[in-house]
Amino acid sequence: MKNLVGIVVSIIYIVLVFVLSKFMTKKGEEMSRKFIHIALSNIWFIYCLFIDKLWVASILPAVFIVINSLSYKFKIFKTMEREQNDGFGTIYYAISILLVTIFSYLQASPIIGATGMFIMGYGDGFAAVVGKRFKSKEYNIFGAKKTIAGSTTMFVISLIISCIVFYIIGMKYFIIKAFITSIIATLLEAISVKGLDNISVPVMVTVLTYLFI
């Protein structure tokens, strides 16, 4: 019953996010996309509270891999897709949730995936928003154009999230480990192109969290 409640609450939350994203389009389609990007990462709270079975937790991300793939090809959900070809970011997002889910639940600890999921959602999401809103020096690594303001935001938010999650886990030397995690997450976000940070950041950070325990 608890797992069923988790699925129902997750679906209601996802629908609510997409409904609210329609209102965000008034501030621009990019803002709407980032709202979805950030807000959907919160589904991990629901997973940690309600879902304790791997197969149940895997249902939604598996379904969204298919939905996001169709949306990318046919522009079904225009609030999620950029007009230009900017890679498979939305598809990678769903794949990363599935991979993080499988890894975390195989370790019988959903909270292991919390760092990766929230850094992907909040860190990467706000890095893009801040990077575009505040002018700062741009840099380019492997074709990935980033800004100092965006990368700084990514690092700071990653550090805050890592410290909170590592403290809850009861990790020794959590501040030092959070600092290392934040540097790696920021570097991954900086060098990833075509939306690959949506999969490289959460997966690597989740694995790193597990290794640090």
Side-chain angles (χ1 to χ4, degrees):
M1 179 60 72
K2 184 178 179 182
N3 286 273
L4 178 59
V5 171
I7 289 293
V8 172
V9 173
S10 296
I11 292 173
I12 292 173
Y13 178 72
I14 290 169
V15 171
L16 180 62
V17 167
F18 277 95
V19 170
L20 291 176
S21 72
K22 292 292 185 180
F23 294 97
M24 295 296 293
T25 55
K26 295 178 181 179
K27 297 184 178 181
E29 291 186 357
E30 184 64 22
M31 186 63 71
S32 177
R33 280 188 285 270
K34 288 306 172 184
F35 170 76
I36 294 173
H37 181 96
I38 294 168
L40 285 183
S41 67
N42 291 327
I43 199 170
W44 206 256
F45 283 117
I46 301 173
Y47 273 38
C48 289
L49 290 172
F50 295 103
I51 301 176
D52 56 16
K53 295 184 183 300
L54 172 58
W55 71 270
V56 176
S58 300
I59 293 174
L60 286 179
V63 169
F64 268 92
I65 290 174
V66 177
I67 292 176
N68 289 2
S69 297
L70 292 173
S71 177
Y72 177 83
K73 184 174 180 61
F74 301 108
K75 297 294 185 291
I76 299 172
F77 299 107
K78 293 184 178 180
T79 53
M80 290 198 311
E81 310 294 346
R82 289 185 172 92
E83 290 300 322
Q84 71 271 26
N85 181 15
D86 196 39
F88 302 98
T90 56
I91 301 172
Y92 292 149
Y93 193 106
I95 291 174
S96 69
I97 296 178
L98 180 60
L99 292 176
V100 170
T101 296
I102 293 172
F103 185 86
S104 301
Y105 277 79
L106 285 177
Q107 309 307 321
S109 182
I111 197 169
I112 289 176
T115 318
M117 287 302 304
F118 294 138
I119 286 178
M120 175 182 67
Y122 285 87
D124 181 46
F126 279 110
V129 173
V130 172
K132 289 185 177 182
R133 177 157 296 189
F134 298 96
K135 291 184 178 180
S136 64
K137 186 176 180 180
E138 293 185 349
Y139 64 94
N140 193 306
I141 303 177
F142 302 139
K145 185 183 292 185
K146 305 293 179 179
T147 66
I148 297 297
S151 293
T152 301
T153 301
M154 176 69 178
F155 175 79
V156 172
I157 293 179
S158 296
L159 183 61
I160 293 172
I161 291 172
S162 297
C163 282
I164 293 173
V165 176
F166 290 177
Y167 177 78
I168 293 173
I169 292 175
M171 198 179 288
K172 292 182 178 180
Y173 313 111
F174 72 93
I175 295 179
I176 296 174
K177 293 175 179 177
F179 189 82
I180 294 171
T181 300
S182 302
I183 291 176
I184 292 175
T186 303
L187 288 174
L188 287 171
E189 195 270 341
I191 65 175
S192 298
V193 296
K194 297 292 184 179
L196 275 171
D197 52 334
N198 281 353
I199 195 167
S200 63
V201 171
V203 171
M204 291 304 297
V205 168
T206 298
V207 172
L208 195 59
T209 300
Y210 169 73
L211 295 175
F212 277 157
I213 294 176

